Amino acid sequence: MKKILVINGPNINMLGVREPDIYGKKTYSDLVAFIQDSAKELNLEVKCFQSNHEGAIVDEIQQALGTFDGIVINPAAYTHTSVAILDALKAVGLPAVEVHISDVTKRESFRQISYAGMACVQHYVGFGFDGYKMALQFLA
Ligand code: DQA
């Protein structure tokens, strides 16, 4: 059974409370349950990790080497700033898929660059929670 690491970045733990008109009313716990259900359906083992700290995300990516077969990552705001997360993804070389809940392509100009995305083989943007399932499907 393939093992996939699902990483969510800063403020994703605030889902349901933060800007519900953009991110919806469902919580991070709802997201984890959705990801676990999707994984079961696809015969995958998943670990969900969320952090508000860039270095913790880098550590988690590094530790995935030798343990996981792929990474699904929504780096949240670090998408648009973090060369460290890009370099960590490149360093481990695991197939990685970028997910964004909202359609960042239709939002502010500062959201138009994705550093992490440069190390990802596929991208699902603006599909809400479904993007995570599509990413798992891709890696399965
Ligand atoms: C996000 C989009 C980012 O621009 C933003 O900073 C987030 C969430 C998304 O899932 O739509 O925190 O990654």
Side-chain angles (χ1 to χ4, degrees):
M1 196 186 274
K2 276 191 183 172
K3 285 179 76 174
I4 308 297
L5 175 62
V6 181
I7 298 175
N8 278 289
N11 301 304
I12 300 295
N13 58 316
M14 294 295 284
L15 284 177
V17 174
R18 80 182 283 217
E19 304 179 89
D21 41 322
I22 296 174
Y23 299 111
K25 289 194 178 130
K26 288 188 177 162
T27 65
Y28 177 67
S29 300
D30 294 333
L31 176 60
V32 171
F34 175 78
I35 290 168
Q36 292 292 358
D37 286 350
S38 304
K40 216 174 183 180
E41 231 177 85
L42 295 162
N43 203 32
L44 294 170
E45 196 180 314
V46 295
K47 175 188 175 184
C48 291
F49 173 82
Q50 189 277 329
S51 179
N52 296 323
H53 305 277
E54 186 177 17
I57 294 169
V58 169
D59 287 344
E60 193 69 21
I61 293 168
Q62 289 182 3
Q63 284 159 22
L65 193 60
T67 307
F68 290 94
D69 301 298
I71 296 174
V72 173
I73 186 162
N74 180 353
Y78 291 139
T79 305
H80 319 299
T81 62
S82 181
V83 177
I85 291 173
L86 165 64
D87 285 349
L89 290 170
K90 282 182 160 179
V92 298
L94 291 167
V97 179
E98 178 183 20
V99 173
H100 296 286
I101 295 167
S102 67
D103 186 356
V104 283
T105 67
K106 300 212 167 73
R107 297 182 64 192
E108 301 93 328
S109 58
F110 61 83
R111 294 185 207 274
Q112 300 313 310
I113 185 142
S114 170
Y115 290 102
M118 294 174 195
C120 291
V121 291
Q122 187 58 276
H123 315 262
Y124 297 103
V125 174
F127 295 107
F129 283 13
D130 286 342
Y132 292 86
K133 188 172 185 177
M134 293 157 96
L136 291 176
Q137 232 149 10
F138 179 86
L139 290 171

